[in-house]
Amino acid sequence: MKILVLNCGSSSVKYRLFASPGRAAGSPPETSAKGLIERIGEPGGEAADHAAALQQVMETVDLSGLGAVGHRVVHGGSLFSAATVIDDKVVTAIEGLVPLAPLHNPPALSGIAVARKLLPEVPQVAVFDTAFHQSIAPDGVTYAIDADLAARWQVRRYGFHGTSHAYVARRTAELLGLPLDDAKVITLHLGNGASACAVHGGRSVATSMGLSPLSGLVMGTRSGDIDPTVIFHLHRVAGLPIEEIERSLTRGGGLQGLAGANDMREIQRRRTDGEPAATLAFDVYCRRLREYVGSYLALLGGADAITFTAGVGENSAEVRAASLSGLSALGIEVDPARNEHGDRIISPDGARVKVCVVPTDEEAEIAEQARKAVET
Ligand code: ADP
């Protein structure tokens, strides 16, 4: 069955066509076409709007025999715990979640509307970044704030990057020959956005992002965890408007805020040159990772594996080594040669906790989930 995966951002449409998303362990999914249409709606952009962009996709790729379209949707709130075949009710529900994801859900809705119109015969499936984390127990998603306020305004932890964490945890179990049903894996998705997840038996039991993708790890431009009083202080004492504080924490925080660059490669170069700001940024980033790993080891009662993925996780031997240093008493070690060499398993032979590097593939996972949703 052919499956088209669409990832619609505010000004871009990413697409990938899978000839056969079903795959055996270790074999890569088969992609027959992919592309990116950028600067939608901008002067000189590649398309006037999402409808024009999707029209382009359909003219470029051979969609004969298409079995489903899988749409990446960032926020599924508390409503969606799995990939869901889209009908009018599902669209209304995703619209209702726009206040929780004002930047992310509207472009996905445009993509869904256009694809339903252009491909009325093909089932459309929404695959949510939040869905995987719906398995987290109430004590893991509840903030200790006024319970009535929280219920009224849907304030709780949702978590994101779910498709990536699910995919990478499963791949880790395959790589290590562990039954997924009782494997305990800590997955570290370190891209521009970054999050940690504790996975037990293929289910998310904890994750570092919360109501929004701002909390948890230090990211390219996002602060990750801070004391909320920072916001009141910047508002009351520094006189900054709330919008400016939000912009600062989301676009001007993280590595960007600490060292003026969001790219880990630049941070590493400048750290090697001995620059103090880049060195501190790197250290804050890695320490936060270690704190989350420790916390998830405690929650899981030990782990079979810790897996790094996404741009930084897959490529930065420095971050992998620094973030897990000093943990040998917990059975966690990184073999320097394997780490530098880019091996898939970078812990020494016989290590109690395997440390792995597994490339993520969110689109392949979306295709796989879309296929399952239309087949059931
Ligand atoms: P996104 O979250 O946008 O999908 P990626 O997963 O592609 O991002 O990760 C992007 C980040 O990966 C870049 O900002 C960069 O910091 C980091 N990165 C890519 N290659 C390397 C590398 N060789 N060493 C260290 N960091 C890298």
Side-chain angles (χ1 to χ4, degrees):
M1 181 196 291
K2 267 200 213 169
I3 297 196
L4 176 67
V5 172
L6 290 178
N7 183 350
C8 295
S10 56
S11 67
S12 69
V13 171
K14 221 175 171 182
Y15 66 91
R16 195 156 141 202
L17 183 69
F18 290 88
S20 61
R23 56 183 181 272
S27 72
E30 215 182 290
T31 307
S32 53
K34 65 176 184 175
L36 172 66
I37 298 171
E38 287 183 292
R39 290 177 288 116
I40 294 172
E42 291 172 25
E46 294 170 48
D49 53 23
H50 284 85
L54 285 187
Q55 192 78 51
Q56 272 184 36
V57 173
M58 290 174 198
E59 282 159 15
T60 323
V61 301
D62 172 16
L63 295 180
S64 58
L66 188 65
V69 181
H71 295 267
R72 177 187 180 219
V73 182
V74 167
H75 219 307
S78 307
L79 299 172
F80 297 101
S81 55
T84 304
V85 177
I86 297 171
D87 58 16
D88 292 344
K89 265 167 60 188
V90 171
V91 169
T92 306
I94 298 171
E95 283 167 355
L97 294 165
V98 166
L100 286 172
L103 297 179
H104 294 110
N105 275 16
L109 282 162
S110 315
I112 290 169
V114 176
R116 287 181 89 198
K117 204 160 128 210
L118 297 176
L119 298 165
E121 308 301 324
V122 180
Q124 314 276 327
V125 181
V127 181
F128 301 92
D129 272 20
T130 49
F132 182 56
H133 303 299
Q134 286 295 304
S135 55
I136 301 175
D139 61 358
V141 296
T142 304
Y143 294 128
I145 62 170
D146 181 287
D148 294 332
L149 262 183
R152 168 130 198 254
W153 298 102
Q154 299 171 280
V155 175
R156 48 161 282 183
R157 182 190 304 279
Y158 294 99
F160 299 87
H161 289 147
T163 19
S164 177
H165 289 297
Y167 175 83
V168 165
R170 201 174 65 237
R171 283 296 189 131
T172 300
E174 286 169 7
L175 174 70
L176 298 174
L178 296 169
L180 183 63
D181 284 356
D182 53 26
K184 295 176 176 177
V185 183
I186 297 172
T187 50
L188 304 170
H189 177 110
L190 313 178
N192 272 314
S195 67
C197 185
V199 183
H200 189 184
R203 290 158 62 84
S204 172
V205 299
T207 195
S208 58
M209 285 176 169
L211 176 75
S212 81
L214 182 55
S215 70
L217 302 174
V218 176
M219 314 187 204
T221 67
R222 292 182 215 141
S223 63
D225 293 339
I226 56 165
D227 179 343
T229 299
V230 170
I231 298 166
F232 314 139
H233 180 80
L234 290 176
H235 184 59
R236 245 188 250 122
V237 181
L240 297 183
I242 208 79
E243 293 74 20
E244 200 173 321
I245 300 170
E246 182 175 25
R247 197 214 58 81
S248 175
L249 295 178
T250 55
R251 310 239 35 97
L255 299 174
Q256 177 71 39
L258 291 171
N262 70 336
D263 193 315
M264 184 54 88
R265 284 164 291 202
E266 182 175 340
I267 300 292
Q268 289 176 172
R269 263 194 311 274
R270 286 164 42 192
R271 170 177 177 256
T272 308
D273 292 343
E275 191 202 288
T279 304
L280 181 62
F282 182 89
D283 291 347
V284 173
Y285 186 100
C286 293
R287 178 194 170 110
R288 184 77 51 84
L289 270 168
R290 192 153 61 240
E291 289 174 342
Y292 268 94
V293 167
S295 148
Y296 289 174
L297 280 171
L299 270 177
L300 290 167
D304 298 304
I306 298 172
T307 299
F308 289 90
T309 194
V312 177
E314 290 166 31
N315 296 299
S316 175
E318 288 98 318
V319 166
R320 295 192 298 258
S323 58
L324 298 185
S325 70
L327 300 181
S328 55
L330 299 173
I332 299 169
E333 271 178 82
V334 170
D335 178 275
R338 289 178 179 178
N339 188 31
E340 292 295 334
H341 186 253
D343 285 7
R344 288 282 164 261
I345 301 174
I346 60 171
S347 44
D349 290 342
R352 205 167 354 123
V353 181
K354 307 284 183 280
V355 182
C356 307
V357 181
V358 174
T360 192
D361 192 340
E362 290 170 277
E363 286 139 11
E365 178 68 13
I366 291 171
E368 175 67 10
Q369 291 193 19
R371 184 182 61 79
K372 279 197 196 133
V374 297
E375 281 177 358
T376 50

